[in-house]
Amino acid sequence: MGGLLPVLLLILAGVLVGGAFSLHRQGAPRGVVLTTAALSMLAAVAGGLWLLPGEGS
């Protein structure tokens, strides 16, 4: 399970990026688009950091 979670987080980040782009193109309120984009960045950073080697690995 240790290698699956970062992959799922990076997939989630990709889905959220697509969602943010789609919301932007549909004219959604700026706050909704920015929130979706921020969640995407958070998921991408979490997935990336999870892959870094550390003491627990």
Side-chain angles (χ1 to χ4, degrees):
M1 176 80 177
L4 182 63
L5 189 58
V7 173
L8 291 176
L9 284 169
L10 293 172
I11 290 170
L12 176 63
V15 169
L16 287 171
V17 164
F21 182 69
S22 177
L23 286 168
H24 174 68
R25 294 213 27 179
Q26 293 176 28
R30 187 176 200 136
V32 174
V33 175
L34 291 177
T35 300
T36 307
L39 288 173
S40 169
M41 291 180 67
L42 183 64
V45 168
L49 288 177
W50 200 292
L51 291 173
L52 292 177
E55 292 182 24
S57 322

